[in-house]
Amino acid sequence: MSEPTTAQSLFNFNALLDNPVFAGGFGLASLGAVLAFARRGVISTGGMLRRRMLVNVEISKQDPSYPWILAWLSQPREQTSFLAKRLTRINKLSVTTTTSVTPNGPTRASFFLQPGYGRHIVKYKHAYIAVSREKQATARTNTGEPHETVELTTLYAHRHVFEDVFTEARALALQANEGKTVVYSVRNFDWVPLGEPRRKRPLGSVILDQGIKEDIVNDAKDFLARRQWYVDRGIPYRRGYLLYGPPGSGKSSFIQALAGELDFSVAMVNLSEIGVTDDKLAFLLTKLPERTILLLEDADSAFTNRRKRDADGYGGGTVTFSGLLNALDGLSAGEERLAFLTTNHVELLDPALIRPGRVDMTVRIGEATRYQAAQMWDRFYGDVDADGTNRGRFLKRLDNLGFFREAMEGESVPRTSTAAIQGLFLFNKNDMEGAISMAEHLVPHKLEAEQ
């Protein structure tokens, strides 16, 4: 009974095969399956060969080397072979524009062309490198800025060329900033350059009272030369300085000049700025760029926030006293750091702030002294007043105005700042007599509103 049934089933299947419609559809289905398996095999084999023969390096925009690589890719490269000339053409570019507005003058702009989004090919030494610059669909949660990446791909046999690429890109970045000081400011939760790098300010252009500048510079250089000494003794490798004094005495100018002398950058945080919180300050210090002086301006604002609060609990600056202390020597303080605090109101500072370990050196940079006035005169007019005759007249004029006289008990004597003296000399660049005759304007005047 089963044998006729089996024979009948085979007969029916053979009949189906004899049907041209079924046979054609079955053949197409079989061919499609074979092609699908073949396609999958080709893709798998290609992926395996790619993993075996190629090597990729991905650089995120958050990585410090990202702008270095873009600048390196923008460098012109002369190619000699016909193939290299045709393959390495970059036809899609993007532009980065920086502008600066001069007072009562035109707007200055500089343009920087770099490879745009997409795929490019460059040849470096003996290796071809495929470059893919992409903007991701995801964005940073704190800024909303889309993520960007640059991916470099080359043959696995040429993988060591990436070390040379990054070394050369780093050297180009250093060369671009050679002789300049980069100043960073806070933008959201990142350190960003504040405009273009500034020409290094000569240390001799900042005139402080006798011995002050030399003491700080020598202390900072000694600290930087003793890293292993700190490590061997288990001491946190950081140094803190407090510069206090009236406005215009040269605190910030000296820090900028010191950064140039040490070949450091400056990362600037204004503690009185609204929006700078304890958590934000701690997070920023964990991302402080290397070889950078940390400058915390208006340190007294944290104490104002602690002592003087409104009914709603807000008292001005948003960095608290405890937040500032943790930033200086807490877990977020970091290592290998030079930190400078400046204030115009040292009387508002708490003794807990200026203890050793948080502030290791406290220096008052006060009103202009006779020594500073003489040094500034020589710097402005030394080439035309070689014998110092007019310098003596200028100093005598300041003596007559009482700037350098010791105050008696309960007496108020006039004082001036180095910024005011510099302003006087700038107003009389080529007129020594004018600078002497206008010395009385160095006496600060209180401005009153018109009635």
Side-chain angles (χ1 to χ4, degrees), residues 134-448:
E134 297 180 351
K135 182 179 290 187
Q136 307 295 330
T138 58
R140 303 182 64 184
T141 56
N142 54 349
T143 63
E145 184 180 9
H147 290 110
E148 293 184 16
T149 59
V150 170
E151 186 177 74
L152 308 179
T153 305
T154 192
L155 292 174
Y156 187 81
H158 298 157
R159 62 191 182 279
H160 299 297
V161 79
F162 288 135
E163 298 177 6
D164 298 334
V165 168
F166 283 95
T167 300
E168 187 172 309
R170 173 60 174 162
L172 284 173
L174 292 175
Q175 184 179 357
N177 293 331
E178 188 176 359
K180 298 179 180 178
T181 300
V182 180
V183 179
Y184 295 97
S185 64
V186 177
R187 182 185 297 172
N188 296 315
F189 283 83
D190 277 331
W191 295 106
V192 295
L194 185 63
E196 292 294 317
R198 307 177 185 186
R199 186 176 303 170
K200 286 184 180 179
R201 181 163 184 171
L203 197 60
S205 67
V206 181
I207 310 298
L208 302 183
D209 203 7
Q210 197 165 8
I212 291 180
K213 177 170 58 177
E214 293 76 12
D215 288 346
I216 301 176
V217 172
N218 292 336
D219 185 84
K221 289 183 176 180
D222 179 76
F223 165 75
L224 295 175
R226 290 180 176 268
R227 177 185 179 88
Q228 193 59 44
W229 188 91
Y230 279 78
V231 173
D232 293 341
R233 289 156 179 78
I235 304 173
Y237 186 51
R238 47 182 177 256
R239 192 79 172 160
Y241 302 84
L242 172 64
L243 306 184
Y244 69 96
S249 55
K251 297 183 292 295
S252 298
S253 298
F254 169 71
I255 294 171
Q256 181 184 348
L258 177 65
E261 176 72 14
L262 301 177
D263 198 22
F264 269 49
S265 301
V266 178
M268 183 173 54
V269 181
N270 192 330
L271 296 177
S272 63
E273 181 181 346
I274 296 176
V276 180
T277 62
D278 293 348
D279 293 340
K280 185 174 182 178
L281 180 61
F283 180 74
L284 288 170
L285 293 188
T286 62
K287 301 176 62 178
L288 191 69
E290 292 184 0
R291 295 187 63 83
T292 299
I293 291 176
L294 175 65
L295 172 57
L296 301 175
E297 296 186 305
D298 297 332
D300 54 275
S301 64
F303 297 87
T304 303
N305 195 31
R306 178 179 70 160
R307 298 174 178 175
K308 301 177 182 178
R309 293 182 178 270
D310 298 332
D312 59 357
Y314 180 75
T318 52
V319 175
T320 64
F321 174 64
S322 60
L324 178 59
L325 297 184
N326 289 330
L328 291 176
D329 66 349
L331 295 178
S332 63
E335 295 286 322
E336 195 174 1
R337 190 198 65 194
L338 285 173
F340 279 82
L341 287 78
T342 65
T343 180
N344 299 330
H345 304 285
V346 69
E347 68 278 0
L348 297 179
L349 300 185
D350 194 287
L353 174 68
I354 57 179
R355 70 160 177 82
R358 290 174 178 149
V359 172
D360 303 290
M361 192 172 184
T362 302
V363 180
R364 183 180 189 274
I365 301 180
E367 297 83 358
T369 64
R370 184 183 184 87
Y371 171 82
Q372 290 174 283
Q375 292 292 312
M376 294 181 69
W377 178 276
D378 289 342
R379 188 163 187 84
F380 277 85
Y381 304 116
D383 53 340
V384 293
D385 185 30
D387 60 356
T389 302
N390 290 306
R391 178 187 61 194
R393 293 175 54 208
F394 178 70
L395 295 177
K396 185 176 180 180
R397 176 72 171 147
L398 297 185
D399 280 329
N400 293 336
L401 291 170
F403 285 124
F404 309 134
R405 182 167 58 86
E406 292 291 336
M408 304 296 291
E409 186 177 355
E411 181 186 15
S412 177
V413 296
R415 291 288 185 261
T416 191
S417 65
T418 52
I421 296 177
Q422 178 173 285
L424 175 67
F425 291 165
L426 289 174
F427 190 80
N428 298 277
K429 299 181 185 67
N430 302 312
D431 186 7
M432 291 186 292
E433 292 296 333
I436 296 172
S437 63
M438 294 178 62
E440 67 226 18
H441 294 288
L442 294 174
V443 180
H445 297 282
K446 291 185 179 180
L447 300 178
E448 297 181 359

Side-chain angles (χ1 to χ4, degrees), residues 76-136:
R77 294 177 181 83
E78 292 294 333
Q79 304 294 347
T80 56
S81 67
F82 177 83
L83 181 63
K85 287 181 179 180
R86 296 299 182 272
L87 289 179
T88 58
R89 291 177 177 176
I90 298 180
N91 298 320
K92 190 174 183 181
L93 302 173
S94 64
V95 62
T96 300
T97 306
T98 57
T99 61
S100 60
V101 181
T102 58
N104 302 320
T107 300
R108 297 178 181 175
S110 59
F111 305 95
F112 175 61
L113 291 175
Q114 55 195 12
Y117 299 103
R119 297 181 180 274
H120 317 280
I121 296 177
V122 298
K123 184 180 181 183
Y124 178 68
K125 295 183 177 180
H126 55 280
Y128 285 93
I129 302 175
V131 180
S132 177
R133 185 184 179 194
E134 297 180 351
K135 182 179 290 187
Q136 307 295 330

